[in-house]
Amino acid sequence: MGQTHSSRADGAHAQDAEAETFMELYFNKTIEAKTNIGAGIGLFAQEDFEPGDVIIQLQNPFLCILQQSAFADHCFYCFQPVSRPSKCTGCNVAGYCGKSCQVASWQTDHKHECKLFRACMEQHGEVVPTPTRALMLILLKIKNESKDELVWSEKLTSHCSAFMQDRENMESFRLQARMAVHLAKVPAALLDMSIEIFCQLKINAFRLNTADDTPIGLCFDPLLARMNHSCWPNAFLSFDGRATTVRALHPIKASREILVSYIDPTVPRTNRESRLQSRYKFTCSCPKCIKDMSVYDIFLESSEDLIRANEDALAQSTTQLVDSAKESASCWENLKDVNYNTLVGYSDLKLRRLGIANQLRGLKQTLYGHSMANYPYPDIMHTLYDDYLEQKEYAAATVIRATLVYAVEPFQFPEPWHPVRVTSLFALAKLLHLTYEEPAYALGLLASVSPNFLECYRPLPTILSLLLLVNENVGKSHGLDTHFATEVRDKLSETERAVRLLAHNGGDSTGIAILDRGFAPGTPGRKTAKDLWKLLALLANPRRVLMLADECVGPASGNKDSWELIPPS
């Protein structure tokens, strides 16, 4: 991968020639590769792009593989979820959703690795690690097809010498490269070249994700590897199975560089610097890093049109959003150096929730109901949310998801069409549907969050309005022809039928008003939907989120009011 405003500077003329050669191999009329001084070769727009526009689309990237943890419930070729994959009879490892994927997989990669999988399973009980397997497949492509498969390797940075300065890295990389050489049965003389390629994969491969950002594998393509990084990106990468797409996040003018974020851009600068330096070997100097801006600062720098788009999507006024951002931005200094330890290592549910409660106790005075979008609160909430989902405690999960939707994600990702925002809204709609089907416990908890909530809550119309909003943005976030968009439309159709049936039987007709009066911004149907969203915002209660973790382990020191937040003096 490239980098933005890094400390590395190469010869401009040599890089321009390299860029021309590179684009001869990977021509795309919408982009061009050229030198960005101090950041190597980057990709630049040759035409204007609006948010959601496709910049790059690859149906079959150079290398796309599933990681072992996803073997049991994903197709080995198209990567779509499948409850019972049909196993390859040769290795009994690779599983498929159907015959067509099995044939395509064999023609692409599996013909090279089927026997190796079987041998690995017989000898070790597992296949080789994903990075080793990726290198092995590249070596097999070179061996069995053509050395032209390697032409991209001369064009990409590896930072191999920097990696090898660390003894632990050096030993690990050599071991994995040696294993790949052995499994691919290529000459041992290719070991040094293999280490170089392994380093290139390390810094140029992307994590392959599902629509909801769950990691399931590894994707590498020389064209994608040319995109440079910014912690304030103007584009994003998404996957629909093997299909890989780069879309515009913000308007991009012709001649402007296309920038994506290699890491989570919402964490503090010190965390970002550490991650970028450790893996990619550069220091970012984008405006967000130079000014050490919080997520709230970024929101306040957004255009008026973007903030108004949030008002229309969240039913919060522009003034409310801006005032909240300003108040929370002022708390940033108190959170910059917070000592937060990840909790994912706890396998025991009660221990993990106790850890969450202790983390929040230590942070509650700094929070005082604000700065929920600043690290580490989103991480803690996601951990707690995953626990409640695992235990099928859907009402508690709904409160946390609503808080993320209303109080966190609009500031982390100001664009309503950001894929994180769209999938999160979809998750909230599905959770509300689950609580609608199990009302006794769920409605009791929701009533305790806000006494006024149940008086006006209209479950099906609210779910319908959220699904309509997801459907409105899914073309920009994921694409209309993706599996995720199809799932959204199916859920929307199902809910529409339920809404019409409810009204037909003499029940609530609010959903019919939304459907029949139009949902586009400014229509009467949209106004009705926004009234429902204002009510739903009552669930976004930061204090209640803090209390949820404590309910499973008991309040600190037996003090029942241990979560009552006291304003700092």
Side-chain angles (χ1 to χ4, degrees), residues 449-513:
V449 173
S450 172
N452 298 328
F453 181 77
L454 289 185
E455 296 178 12
C456 305
Y457 179 49
R458 302 176 185 275
L460 271 181
T462 300
I463 296 167
L464 173 70
S465 67
L466 291 178
L467 291 173
L468 286 167
L469 185 58
V470 172
N471 193 56
E472 180 179 274
N473 286 306
V474 74
K476 290 183 179 181
S477 64
H478 294 81
L480 294 175
D481 58 347
T482 59
H483 288 81
F484 177 68
T486 300
E487 182 185 359
V488 170
R489 289 192 293 269
D490 289 346
K491 194 69 177 176
L492 177 57
S493 296
E494 174 191 328
T495 306
E496 284 185 15
R497 289 193 296 271
V499 163
R500 294 190 183 280
L501 180 62
L502 178 67
H504 177 75
N505 292 333
D508 191 352
S509 61
T510 306
I512 298 296

Side-chain angles (χ1 to χ4, degrees), residues 245-262:
T245 305
V246 179
R247 295 181 184 274
L249 183 60
H250 302 144
I252 303 174
K253 294 294 185 182
S255 79
R256 297 299 299 271
E257 188 171 11
I258 296 156
L259 301 167
V260 297
S261 183
Y262 298 169

Side-chain angles (χ1 to χ4, degrees), residues 49-117:
F49 293 103
E50 292 300 317
D53 284 353
V54 173
I55 302 172
I56 300 171
Q57 191 162 49
L58 303 174
Q59 292 301 323
N60 197 20
F62 180 80
L63 185 69
C64 224
I65 60 175
L66 200 65
Q67 65 192 36
Q68 190 169 356
S69 61
F71 284 2
D73 51 9
H74 287 79
C75 176
F76 209 71
Y77 181 75
C78 71
F79 306 147
Q80 294 302 322
V82 53
S83 57
R84 297 182 64 183
S86 178
K87 295 290 187 180
C88 166
T89 55
C91 63
N92 201 36
V93 172
Y96 301 96
C97 61
K99 188 68 176 178
S100 60
C101 277
Q102 186 170 7
V103 171
S105 178
W106 183 265
Q107 294 172 345
T108 305
D109 289 324
H110 196 54
K111 62 186 176 184
H112 298 315
E113 59 183 4
C114 184
K115 290 182 180 179
L116 297 174
F117 275 5

Side-chain angles (χ1 to χ4, degrees), residues 547-558:
M547 294 172 68
L548 280 172
D550 213 29
E551 290 179 351
C552 298
V553 295
S557 304

Side-chain angles (χ1 to χ4, degrees), residues 16 61 93 108 149 167 179 201 222 230 376 392 438 480 522 526 554 566:
D16 285 338
V93 172
T108 305
E149 294 283 354
R167 183 175 180 82
M179 184 185 303
L201 286 174
S230 173
K392 298 183 179 180
E438 299 179 9
L480 294 175
R526 184 63 157 241
I566 303 171

Side-chain angles (χ1 to χ4, degrees), residues 275-294:
R275 296 176 193 183
L276 289 170
Q277 192 58 241
S278 173
R279 176 166 178 179
Y280 302 103
K281 305 302 179 186
F282 72 89
T283 299
C284 180
S285 56
C286 70
K288 182 177 180 178
C289 288
I290 291 174
K291 299 177 183 178
D292 196 11
M293 300 169 74
S294 72

